[in-house]
Amino acid sequence: MAVLTFNVAPDSVICAVYEEGGCREHGVFEVPETKDALLLRMQRMTRLYGALYALTGIGVSLGNEQDVVAEDLKMTLQLPVLVMACGDETELAQRTLAAF
């Protein structure tokens, strides 16, 4: 079991895969100019990592006030999504693993 996390900052997004043993994959990408482009990028990353890991859920940190629509994420990613307002990547991973 693994979870995928997106820590959305004003100019970049940290994307990581966590299992009980810790971080397995880690990457950073620039925030696209539109919310739709960001959502599309998150969907692509979910499909990519979903093919490699048995994802049980997704954690999204919106601690930076980035306007990402949680309902869109929940409907389009087809996995349980935990949306939180925390900027700490480790805390996001721990809470997501505990939730899913």
Side-chain angles (χ1 to χ4, degrees):
M1 294 192 318
V3 295
L4 178 63
T5 62
F6 293 102
N7 195 343
V8 183
D11 58 349
S12 65
V13 178
I14 299 171
C15 177
V17 176
Y18 286 89
E19 293 179 324
E20 290 295 331
C23 184
R24 297 292 178 228
E25 301 277 347
H26 189 270
V28 178
F29 61 90
E30 290 183 16
V31 173
E33 293 184 18
T34 67
K35 288 188 290 185
D36 289 339
L38 177 59
L39 184 61
L40 182 62
R41 182 70 184 260
M42 294 168 100
Q43 290 169 334
R44 288 180 187 154
M45 299 300 287
T46 301
R47 283 194 298 274
L48 171 70
Y49 288 120
L52 301 172
Y53 296 92
L55 296 178
T56 57
I58 297 170
V60 179
S61 172
L62 302 176
N64 60 356
E65 306 301 322
Q66 181 75 16
D67 186 19
V68 176
V69 181
E71 288 305 312
D72 287 345
L73 291 172
K74 291 177 182 178
M75 290 186 329
T76 61
L77 295 180
Q78 299 177 346
L79 283 168
V81 177
L82 177 65
V83 179
M84 302 183 327
C86 79
D88 181 59
E89 186 178 343
T90 303
E91 181 181 351
L92 174 63
Q94 290 171 345
R95 287 186 181 184
T96 306
L97 281 168
F100 305 119

